[in-house]
Amino acid sequence: MSKNVMDYKLLLDMAVFAGDILMQNGAETYRVEDTVYRILQKSNLKTVQVLVMMTGFVATLDDPTMDSLTVVRRIQSHGTNLEKIDQVNQISREFCNDELTLEQAFKQMKALWKEKEPPKIRLLAFALLTGGFAVMFGSNWAEAIVAAVVGLVGAAVQFSCKKGHMHMFVENIVCSLSVAVAIGFLTAALPGTYDTDLLIISCIMPFVPGAAITNAVFDTLHGDYLSGLARAAEAFVIALAVAIGIGMGLFVMAAVLGR
């Protein structure tokens, strides 16, 4: 595309949507910066700059023939959705290879940015994840079923917390607390003997900040020390919140159930 026919504002908006989606769904700082930069390079302008940090990013287009365009985007929430990261990569690659026009790429990126994850999918994923981890850790089928049911409880509580815009630290405490309490009441109400430790370990796995720890190491090794430290701090805060929530849940179990 030539400088004369490209809509630079539309290009910048599309790049910002891409960066926003990537950062909200757990992409590494390097990936976000590289993707936004490659998209903006299609402008063929003299100056293309992208600065990505843990809490947001800045993108600039400038050329002697025009006024500069700069966008600052603050990222409020972080999660993990590798499918969305892959979809952004696919759209950006097709656009950079001229397989999509700017208008087509913008529409697809905006639709992906607006797309919300169906609650039923998250509920099913949590149940399969917690039940699967229980089996992997050596549980019997009864314990795996209990873990799957508790996974449903954890997913429902997390969905309610996110809908109420609860702070990340409090959200993880509440989710872990609900998981511990649900395990206590289910194992007390159902016949048979259950390994409570195994169930707790299995059911908190969806809340363990594995992606944050991995990205912290990756960013640090790539020289993004600020983002690396920020991600490491985020992982520590999440792990601390989960530990506090489980501790509170075990206290409730001991006080109410005497176990």
Side-chain angles (χ1 to χ4, degrees):
M1 297 184 190
S2 68
K3 292 184 180 181
N4 295 326
V5 299
M6 176 169 283
D7 187 336
Y8 301 121
K9 181 66 168 60
L10 191 65
L11 179 70
L12 190 57
D13 286 343
M14 196 262 281
V16 168
F17 278 134
D20 196 323
I21 296 167
L22 290 173
M23 292 196 71
Q24 287 195 42
N25 291 283
E28 320 91 282
T29 300
Y30 172 80
R31 183 187 299 273
V32 180
E33 205 165 77
D34 183 63
T35 301
V36 175
Y37 182 77
R38 287 176 183 270
I39 291 173
L40 294 180
Q41 268 195 319
K42 292 292 289 181
S43 66
N44 294 319
L45 295 178
K46 183 177 181 180
T47 301
V48 174
Q49 293 292 338
V50 182
L51 175 63
V52 179
M53 294 174 287
M54 179 66 181
T55 53
F57 62 93
V58 182
T60 296
L61 285 175
D62 195 13
D63 195 80
T65 62
M66 57 176 277
D67 293 331
S68 64
L69 295 172
T70 299
V71 172
V72 179
R73 179 57 64 94
R74 177 76 163 86
I75 305 300
Q76 301 288 349
S77 62
H78 295 273
T80 303
N81 189 327
L82 300 182
E83 183 180 3
K84 279 200 171 185
I85 293 175
D86 180 65
Q87 289 173 327
V88 170
N89 287 341
Q90 185 63 32
I91 295 171
S92 62
R93 285 194 186 99
E94 290 179 359
F95 171 69
C96 291
N97 292 331
D98 295 323
E99 297 173 20
L100 291 175
T101 65
L102 175 58
E103 290 74 16
Q104 290 172 331
F106 175 79
K107 287 180 181 178
Q108 290 185 25
M109 201 71 77
K110 187 175 182 180
L112 184 61
W113 181 75
K114 287 184 174 180
E115 184 179 279
K116 302 298 181 185
E117 184 180 51
K120 292 181 180 179
I121 298 297
R122 178 166 286 270
L123 288 171
L124 178 61
F126 265 61
L128 292 175
L129 191 62
T130 53
F133 270 116
V135 173
M136 189 177 74
F137 293 148
S139 72
N140 55 41
W141 286 108
E143 290 170 336
I145 292 172
V146 171
V149 173
V150 174
L152 290 174
V153 173
V157 173
Q158 187 186 62
F159 177 76
S160 299
C161 291
K162 289 186 179 299
K163 194 173 181 180
H165 303 288
M166 189 175 291
H167 189 274
M168 177 190 68
F169 185 74
V170 180
E171 174 189 320
N172 281 283
I173 290 178
V174 172
C175 290
S176 302
L177 171 63
S178 65
V179 163
V181 171
I183 290 172
F185 281 104
L186 280 174
T187 54
L190 295 174
T193 303
Y194 299 88
D195 188 337
T196 304
D197 293 340
L198 183 148
L199 289 174
I200 289 176
I201 293 171
S202 302
C203 294
I204 65 170
M205 290 304 291
F207 307 108
V208 173
I213 295 171
T214 302
N215 287 342
V217 175
F218 188 89
D219 287 344
T220 302
L221 293 177
H222 275 78
D224 295 311
Y225 300 116
L226 188 61
S227 294
L229 289 172
R231 289 185 187 275
E234 179 191 33
F236 173 77
V237 169
I238 293 174
L240 179 62
V242 170
I244 291 173
I246 292 297
M248 293 171 63
L250 291 175
F251 177 80
V252 171
M253 288 167 58
V256 177
L257 302 175
R259 49 189 298 181

